[in-house]
Amino acid sequence: MSAQKPSVPKGTRDFSPIEMARRNYIFDTIRDVFCRYGYQPIETPAMENLSTLLGKYGDEGDRLLFKILNSGKYLDKIDGKALAEKDQTGITRLISDKGLRFDLTVPFARYVVQHRNDISFPFKRYQIQPVWRADRPQKGRYREFFQCDVDVIGSDSLLNEVELIQIIDDVFTKLEINAVVKLNNRKILAGIAEVIGEAENFGHITVAIDKLDKIGIEKVNEEMLAKGVSRDAIDKLQPILTLEGKLKEKFPKLLEILKDSPTGLEGCKETMTVMRHLKDLGINAKFELDLTLARGLDYYTGAIIEVKATNMAMGSICGGGRYDDLTGVFGLEGISGVGISFGADRIYDVLLEQDRFPDAYHASSKVMFVNFGDEEVKYCLPVINRLRKAGINTELYPDAAKMKKQLVWANNKGIPFIVMAGTEEIKNKKFMLKDMNKGEQEQLTEEELIKKLKRLSQ
RNA sequence: GUGGAUGUAGCUCAGUUGGUUAGAGCGCUAGAUUGUGGUUCUAGAGGUCGCCGGUUCAAAUCCGGUCUUCCACCCCA
């Protein structure tokens, strides 16, 4: 038997203890903030029916869905004609009816519709789970990654938008990441498309102007022209794209531009209301109106939110927006929701690159007892038990191995304290406590040992 | 899905125009030190050169395919 080289699928990763400690630091921080604002956790299955997922993320999203092959004799359903014509979409529908979830928002909408009778609206939920995308991996882009979603569903109030941005601010303040929150509104974008006379090209226009800071205005114009946007409309768009200045100056200009579009004016008003609240609250993060912020997901209808870490060549670390009709496709009309999603894996990469992980987080147990043999173990075990009951993370090395091996092991594991109890200590009813960082050691009674370690565990 | 780069010891990387026994540092194991780790010294183990095939007397080295990782596009957390 030839040994196969072990590996994990492309774009997926193992997480070792040190990585888990850091990841849990992120999850714990985010979860704490979510709870502080009264959001409640739910979980949904890794897989959903394809009918739930398809058509919610645009064509690109459908392509990136991982599909799960049906069980049983799935080939029986396929006729030779479809195979001969290589009708991939048609065949896929026949052999796969489940897929891995692509995000947490669509499964949440499904959940809300399904459990509508048990939910009292507005419903505030959070959800921290992995999602999967069949994308080609790159820096900060994985095929399996964790999203931390918070959503309010069943409330139109703009206070929800404000609250979500407060949550963003709290999370990144706690994680010590300098973040800038970019805001826009689909209604503003729709209004712009309307006033330049290209309402039907809304999609093409937003996709193109989304790339403005990346490829420049020339290429954006080229792309729009190629997609069938008229020269005249592109000319009209230029002053809007290059709108500069402070918010105070931007909004009056925008209101003037959008004066013939009720939708656009409404989006503008909404964004102004949200920003006014934010200004009054005085949040730490910078926030700005970014008219080029579009976001590809099809279901957004109102506010669009995106967060980037400053000074980092990385995609957004948090994103979201308002969706008015998402539950409608599952048969529950008139329920509007708004939510955001923190990308835990990208936040991890930012924290690692900026060296912002607290050291204390990777510690395992506080103290390890050296194993000298049966007699000594018998002496130590009850004390170890009492240390644990006192809330001190304690472990005993399982084998009576050489002292050196046991100390190296403790050292590698980052255990800060060692207890040695051999014949001498047993005779005196004492314990030798060694501080691994300072190299100092002292003999203590059990009572003193517990007291000291308890103090050091704070 | 499109285009480009990459892969040598557990890790980071050398390796000449194709040539005989593929190296270094770190890590690992043992000893110096039988109850003291993280420093030092000494010794040792560890590689079908990503995988499959081709060219050649001869391939880590050249060619083709494939997979991985990375970069750009697309899109996105």
Short mmCIF file of all heavy atoms in Angstrom, two decimals, chain B residues 60-76:
data_model
loop_
_atom_site.label_atom_id
_atom_site.label_comp_id
_atom_site.label_asym_id
_atom_site.label_seq_id
_atom_site.Cartn_x
_atom_site.Cartn_y
_atom_site.Cartn_z
P A B 60 16.90 13.75 -10.85
OP1 A B 60 18.37 13.72 -10.63
OP2 A B 60 16.10 12.53 -10.57
"O5'" A B 60 16.28 14.94 -10.01
"C5'" A B 60 14.88 15.16 -9.99
"C4'" A B 60 14.57 16.61 -9.75
"O4'" A B 60 15.44 17.11 -8.71
"C3'" A B 60 14.84 17.53 -10.95
"O3'" A B 60 13.69 17.60 -11.78
"C2'" A B 60 15.14 18.86 -10.29
"O2'" A B 60 13.96 19.56 -9.94
"C1'" A B 60 15.85 18.42 -9.00
N9 A B 60 17.31 18.44 -9.13
C8 A B 60 18.17 17.37 -9.11
N7 A B 60 19.44 17.71 -9.22
C5 A B 60 19.41 19.09 -9.31
C6 A B 60 20.42 20.05 -9.44
N6 A B 60 21.72 19.75 -9.49
N1 A B 60 20.06 21.34 -9.51
C2 A B 60 18.76 21.65 -9.44
N3 A B 60 17.70 20.83 -9.31
C4 A B 60 18.10 19.56 -9.24
P U B 61 13.85 17.60 -13.32
OP1 U B 61 12.50 17.78 -13.88
OP2 U B 61 14.66 16.42 -13.70
"O5'" U B 61 14.71 18.89 -13.66
"C5'" U B 61 14.24 20.20 -13.35
"C4'" U B 61 15.33 21.21 -13.63
"O4'" U B 61 16.53 20.80 -12.92
"C3'" U B 61 15.71 21.30 -15.10
"O3'" U B 61 15.94 22.65 -15.46
"C2'" U B 61 17.02 20.50 -15.20
"O2'" U B 61 17.90 20.98 -16.20
"C1'" U B 61 17.61 20.73 -13.80
N1 U B 61 18.50 19.64 -13.37
C2 U B 61 19.83 19.92 -13.12
O2 U B 61 20.29 21.04 -13.24
N3 U B 61 20.59 18.84 -12.74
C4 U B 61 20.17 17.54 -12.56
O4 U B 61 20.98 16.69 -12.20
C5 U B 61 18.78 17.33 -12.85
C6 U B 61 18.00 18.36 -13.23
P C B 62 14.76 23.43 -16.19
OP1 C B 62 15.21 24.83 -16.39
OP2 C B 62 13.49 23.15 -15.47
"O5'" C B 62 14.69 22.69 -17.59
"C5'" C B 62 15.46 23.16 -18.70
"C4'" C B 62 15.06 22.41 -19.95
"O4'" C B 62 15.62 21.05 -19.90
"C3'" C B 62 13.57 22.17 -20.13
"O3'" C B 62 12.92 23.29 -20.68
"C2'" C B 62 13.55 20.97 -21.06
"O2'" C B 62 13.80 21.33 -22.39
"C1'" C B 62 14.73 20.16 -20.53
N1 C B 62 14.33 19.12 -19.56
C2 C B 62 13.60 18.00 -20.00
O2 C B 62 13.31 17.92 -21.20
N3 C B 62 13.23 17.06 -19.11
C4 C B 62 13.57 17.18 -17.82
N4 C B 62 13.19 16.21 -16.99
C5 C B 62 14.29 18.30 -17.34
C6 C B 62 14.65 19.24 -18.23
P C B 63 11.39 23.58 -20.35
OP1 C B 63 11.07 24.91 -20.89
OP2 C B 63 11.16 23.27 -18.91
"O5'" C B 63 10.64 22.48 -21.21
"C5'" C B 63 10.63 22.53 -22.63
"C4'" C B 63 9.80 21.39 -23.19
"O4'" C B 63 10.42 20.13 -22.82
"C3'" C B 63 8.39 21.28 -22.62
"O3'" C B 63 7.49 22.16 -23.26
"C2'" C B 63 8.06 19.81 -22.88
"O2'" C B 63 7.71 19.58 -24.23
"C1'" C B 63 9.41 19.15 -22.60
N1 C B 63 9.52 18.66 -21.20
C2 C B 63 8.86 17.48 -20.85
O2 C B 63 8.21 16.88 -21.71
N3 C B 63 8.96 17.02 -19.58
C4 C B 63 9.68 17.70 -18.68
N4 C B 63 9.74 17.19 -17.45
C5 C B 63 10.35 18.91 -19.01
C6 C B 63 10.24 19.35 -20.27
P G B 64 6.23 22.72 -22.44
OP1 G B 64 5.61 23.77 -23.27
OP2 G B 64 6.66 23.02 -21.05
"O5'" G B 64 5.25 21.47 -22.39
"C5'" G B 64 4.62 21.01 -23.57
"C4'" G B 64 3.80 19.76 -23.30
"O4'" G B 64 4.68 18.71 -22.82
"C3'" G B 64 2.77 19.88 -22.18
"O3'" G B 64 1.58 20.52 -22.60
"C2'" G B 64 2.55 18.42 -21.81
"O2'" G B 64 1.73 17.77 -22.76
"C1'" G B 64 3.97 17.87 -21.91
N9 G B 64 4.65 17.90 -20.61
C8 G B 64 5.60 18.81 -20.18
N7 G B 64 6.01 18.57 -18.96
C5 G B 64 5.30 17.44 -18.56
C6 G B 64 5.32 16.71 -17.34
O6 G B 64 6.00 16.92 -16.33
N1 G B 64 4.43 15.64 -17.37
C2 G B 64 3.63 15.31 -18.44
N2 G B 64 2.84 14.25 -18.27
N3 G B 64 3.61 15.97 -19.58
C4 G B 64 4.46 17.02 -19.58
P G B 65 0.72 21.36 -21.52
OP1 G B 65 -0.35 22.06 -22.28
OP2 G B 65 1.64 22.14 -20.66
"O5'" G B 65 0.05 20.22 -20.63
"C5'" G B 65 -0.94 19.35 -21.18
"C4'" G B 65 -1.20 18.20 -20.27
"O4'" G B 65 0.04 17.54 -19.95
"C3'" G B 65 -1.78 18.55 -18.90
"O3'" G B 65 -3.17 18.77 -18.94
"C2'" G B 65 -1.41 17.31 -18.08
"O2'" G B 65 -2.28 16.24 -18.35
"C1'" G B 65 -0.02 17.00 -18.64
N9 G B 65 1.04 17.61 -17.81
C8 G B 65 1.82 18.70 -18.11
N7 G B 65 2.67 18.99 -17.16
C5 G B 65 2.43 18.04 -16.18
C6 G B 65 3.04 17.85 -14.91
O6 G B 65 3.95 18.50 -14.38
N1 G B 65 2.48 16.77 -14.23
C2 G B 65 1.47 15.97 -14.70
N2 G B 65 1.06 14.98 -13.91
N3 G B 65 0.90 16.13 -15.89
C4 G B 65 1.42 17.18 -16.56
P U B 66 -3.84 19.86 -17.94
OP1 U B 66 -5.26 19.98 -18.31
OP2 U B 66 -2.96 21.06 -17.94
"O5'" U B 66 -3.74 19.16 -16.52
"C5'" U B 66 -4.51 17.98 -16.23
"C4'" U B 66 -4.05 17.40 -14.91
"O4'" U B 66 -2.64 17.08 -14.99
"C3'" U B 66 -4.15 18.33 -13.71
"O3'" U B 66 -5.46 18.37 -13.16
"C2'" U B 66 -3.13 17.72 -12.76
"O2'" U B 66 -3.64 16.56 -12.11
"C1'" U B 66 -2.02 17.31 -13.73
N1 U B 66 -0.99 18.36 -13.88
C2 U B 66 -0.04 18.48 -12.89
O2 U B 66 -0.03 17.77 -11.90
N3 U B 66 0.89 19.46 -13.08
C4 U B 66 0.98 20.33 -14.15
O4 U B 66 1.88 21.16 -14.19
C5 U B 66 -0.04 20.14 -15.14
C6 U B 66 -0.97 19.19 -14.98
P C B 67 -6.00 19.74 -12.53
OP1 C B 67 -7.46 19.59 -12.43
OP2 C B 67 -5.42 20.87 -13.28
"O5'" C B 67 -5.38 19.74 -11.07
"C5'" C B 67 -5.80 18.77 -10.11
"C4'" C B 67 -4.81 18.72 -8.96
"O4'" C B 67 -3.49 18.44 -9.49
"C3'" C B 67 -4.60 20.02 -8.21
"O3'" C B 67 -5.62 20.26 -7.25
"C2'" C B 67 -3.24 19.80 -7.57
"O2'" C B 67 -3.34 18.93 -6.46
"C1'" C B 67 -2.51 19.08 -8.70
N1 C B 67 -1.74 20.03 -9.54
C2 C B 67 -0.51 20.48 -9.07
O2 C B 67 -0.10 20.08 -7.98
N3 C B 67 0.22 21.35 -9.82
C4 C B 67 -0.26 21.76 -10.98
N4 C B 67 0.48 22.62 -11.69
C5 C B 67 -1.53 21.32 -11.49
C6 C B 67 -2.23 20.45 -10.74
P U B 68 -5.96 21.78 -6.81
OP1 U B 68 -7.14 21.71 -5.94
OP2 U B 68 -5.97 22.63 -8.02
"O5'" U B 68 -4.70 22.18 -5.94
"C5'" U B 68 -4.43 21.53 -4.70
"C4'" U B 68 -3.16 22.05 -4.10
"O4'" U B 68 -2.06 21.81 -5.02
"C3'" U B 68 -3.11 23.56 -3.88
"O3'" U B 68 -3.76 23.92 -2.67
"C2'" U B 68 -1.61 23.83 -3.85
"O2'" U B 68 -1.05 23.47 -2.61
"C1'" U B 68 -1.11 22.86 -4.92
N1 U B 68 -0.94 23.48 -6.25
C2 U B 68 0.18 24.26 -6.46
O2 U B 68 1.03 24.46 -5.60
N3 U B 68 0.30 24.79 -7.72
C4 U B 68 -0.58 24.63 -8.78
O4 U B 68 -0.34 25.17 -9.85
C5 U B 68 -1.73 23.81 -8.47
C6 U B 68 -1.86 23.29 -7.26
P U B 69 -4.56 25.27 -2.56
OP1 U B 69 -5.34 25.22 -1.31
OP2 U B 69 -5.27 25.50 -3.84
"O5'" U B 69 -3.43 26.37 -2.42
"C5'" U B 69 -2.58 26.41 -1.27
"C4'" U B 69 -1.37 27.25 -1.55
"O4'" U B 69 -0.64 26.67 -2.67
"C3'" U B 69 -1.65 28.68 -2.00
"O3'" U B 69 -1.88 29.53 -0.90
"C2'" U B 69 -0.38 29.03 -2.76
"O2'" U B 69 0.67 29.35 -1.87
"C1'" U B 69 -0.06 27.71 -3.45
N1 U B 69 -0.61 27.63 -4.82
C2 U B 69 0.16 28.15 -5.83
O2 U B 69 1.24 28.68 -5.65
N3 U B 69 -0.38 28.05 -7.10
C4 U B 69 -1.58 27.48 -7.43
O4 U B 69 -1.93 27.45 -8.60
C5 U B 69 -2.33 26.96 -6.32
C6 U B 69 -1.83 27.05 -5.08
P C B 70 -2.83 30.80 -1.06
OP1 C B 70 -2.92 31.42 0.27
OP2 C B 70 -4.04 30.39 -1.78
"O5'" C B 70 -1.99 31.76 -2.02
"C5'" C B 70 -0.84 32.44 -1.54
"C4'" C B 70 -0.10 33.10 -2.67
"O4'" C B 70 0.23 32.12 -3.69
"C3'" C B 70 -0.86 34.16 -3.46
"O3'" C B 70 -0.90 35.40 -2.77
"C2'" C B 70 -0.04 34.23 -4.73
"O2'" C B 70 1.15 34.96 -4.55
"C1'" C B 70 0.31 32.76 -4.95
N1 C B 70 -0.59 32.10 -5.91
C2 C B 70 -0.37 32.33 -7.28
O2 C B 70 0.56 33.07 -7.61
N3 C B 70 -1.17 31.74 -8.19
C4 C B 70 -2.17 30.96 -7.78
N4 C B 70 -2.94 30.39 -8.72
C5 C B 70 -2.43 30.71 -6.40
C6 C B 70 -1.62 31.29 -5.50
P C B 71 -2.08 36.42 -3.08
OP1 C B 71 -1.90 37.53 -2.13
OP2 C B 71 -3.35 35.69 -3.13
"O5'" C B 71 -1.75 36.93 -4.55
"C5'" C B 71 -0.69 37.83 -4.79
"C4'" C B 71 -0.61 38.16 -6.25
"O4'" C B 71 -0.35 36.96 -7.02
"C3'" C B 71 -1.87 38.70 -6.90
"O3'" C B 71 -2.12 40.06 -6.59
"C2'" C B 71 -1.57 38.48 -8.37
"O2'" C B 71 -0.67 39.45 -8.87
"C1'" C B 71 -0.88 37.12 -8.33
N1 C B 71 -1.83 36.02 -8.63
C2 C B 71 -2.12 35.78 -9.97
O2 C B 71 -1.59 36.48 -10.85
N3 C B 71 -3.00 34.80 -10.30
C4 C B 71 -3.55 34.08 -9.33
N4 C B 71 -4.41 33.12 -9.70
C5 C B 71 -3.27 34.31 -7.95
C6 C B 71 -2.41 35.28 -7.65
P A B 72 -3.61 40.62 -6.62
OP1 A B 72 -3.55 41.97 -6.06
OP2 A B 72 -4.51 39.60 -6.04
"O5'" A B 72 -3.92 40.71 -8.18
"C5'" A B 72 -3.26 41.66 -8.99
"C4'" A B 72 -3.64 41.48 -10.44
"O4'" A B 72 -3.23 40.15 -10.88
"C3'" A B 72 -5.13 41.50 -10.77
"O3'" A B 72 -5.66 42.81 -10.80
"C2'" A B 72 -5.14 40.83 -12.14
"O2'" A B 72 -4.68 41.69 -13.14
"C1'" A B 72 -4.12 39.72 -11.90
N9 A B 72 -4.78 38.48 -11.48
C8 A B 72 -4.89 37.95 -10.21
N7 A B 72 -5.58 36.83 -10.17
C5 A B 72 -5.95 36.62 -11.49
C6 A B 72 -6.69 35.60 -12.12
N6 A B 72 -7.23 34.57 -11.47
N1 A B 72 -6.89 35.69 -13.45
C2 A B 72 -6.36 36.73 -14.11
N3 A B 72 -5.64 37.74 -13.64
C4 A B 72 -5.47 37.62 -12.30
P C B 73 -7.19 43.02 -10.44
OP1 C B 73 -7.45 44.47 -10.52
OP2 C B 73 -7.48 42.28 -9.19
"O5'" C B 73 -7.95 42.28 -11.63
"C5'" C B 73 -7.96 42.84 -12.93
"C4'" C B 73 -8.68 41.93 -13.89
"O4'" C B 73 -8.15 40.58 -13.82
"C3'" C B 73 -10.17 41.72 -13.62
"O3'" C B 73 -10.95 42.82 -14.03
"C2'" C B 73 -10.45 40.46 -14.43
"O2'" C B 73 -10.59 40.76 -15.79
"C1'" C B 73 -9.17 39.67 -14.21
N1 C B 73 -9.33 38.64 -13.16
C2 C B 73 -10.04 37.47 -13.49
O2 C B 73 -10.48 37.35 -14.65
N3 C B 73 -10.22 36.52 -12.55
C4 C B 73 -9.73 36.69 -11.32
N4 C B 73 -9.94 35.72 -10.44
C5 C B 73 -9.02 37.87 -10.95
C6 C B 73 -8.84 38.80 -11.89
P C B 74 -12.19 43.25 -13.13
OP1 C B 74 -12.86 44.34 -13.86
OP2 C B 74 -11.73 43.46 -11.74
"O5'" C B 74 -13.13 41.96 -13.15
"C5'" C B 74 -13.91 41.65 -14.29
"C4'" C B 74 -14.66 40.36 -14.07
"O4'" C B 74 -13.71 39.31 -13.77
"C3'" C B 74 -15.59 40.36 -12.86
"O3'" C B 74 -16.84 40.96 -13.14
"C2'" C B 74 -15.71 38.87 -12.56
"O2'" C B 74 -16.59 38.25 -13.46
"C1'" C B 74 -14.28 38.40 -12.84
N1 C B 74 -13.45 38.36 -11.62
C2 C B 74 -13.53 37.24 -10.80
O2 C B 74 -14.26 36.30 -11.13
N3 C B 74 -12.77 37.19 -9.67
C4 C B 74 -11.99 38.22 -9.34
N4 C B 74 -11.28 38.13 -8.23
C5 C B 74 -11.91 39.38 -10.15
C6 C B 74 -12.65 39.42 -11.27
P C B 75 -17.37 42.16 -12.21
OP1 C B 75 -18.66 42.57 -12.77
OP2 C B 75 -16.29 43.14 -12.03
"O5'" C B 75 -17.63 41.46 -10.80
"C5'" C B 75 -18.80 40.66 -10.59
"C4'" C B 75 -18.55 39.62 -9.54
"O4'" C B 75 -17.20 39.12 -9.69
"C3'" C B 75 -18.58 40.09 -8.09
"O3'" C B 75 -19.91 40.22 -7.61
"C2'" C B 75 -17.83 38.96 -7.42
"O2'" C B 75 -18.63 37.79 -7.34
"C1'" C B 75 -16.71 38.70 -8.43
N1 C B 75 -15.51 39.49 -8.08
C2 C B 75 -14.67 38.98 -7.09
O2 C B 75 -14.96 37.90 -6.55
N3 C B 75 -13.56 39.67 -6.73
C4 C B 75 -13.28 40.83 -7.32
N4 C B 75 -12.19 41.48 -6.93
C5 C B 75 -14.13 41.38 -8.33
C6 C B 75 -15.22 40.68 -8.67
P C B 76 -20.21 41.20 -6.38
OP1 C B 76 -21.63 41.07 -6.06
OP2 C B 76 -19.64 42.52 -6.71
"O5'" C B 76 -19.34 40.57 -5.19
"C5'" C B 76 -19.96 39.76 -4.20
"C4'" C B 76 -18.91 39.03 -3.42
"O4'" C B 76 -17.66 39.03 -4.13
"C3'" C B 76 -18.56 39.65 -2.07
"O3'" C B 76 -19.47 39.23 -1.07
"C2'" C B 76 -17.16 39.11 -1.83
"O2'" C B 76 -17.21 37.79 -1.34
"C1'" C B 76 -16.57 39.08 -3.24
N1 C B 76 -15.75 40.26 -3.56
C2 C B 76 -14.50 40.41 -2.93
O2 C B 76 -14.13 39.56 -2.11
N3 C B 76 -13.73 41.48 -3.24
C4 C B 76 -14.15 42.37 -4.13
N4 C B 76 -13.36 43.41 -4.40
C5 C B 76 -15.42 42.25 -4.77
C6 C B 76 -16.17 41.19 -4.47
#
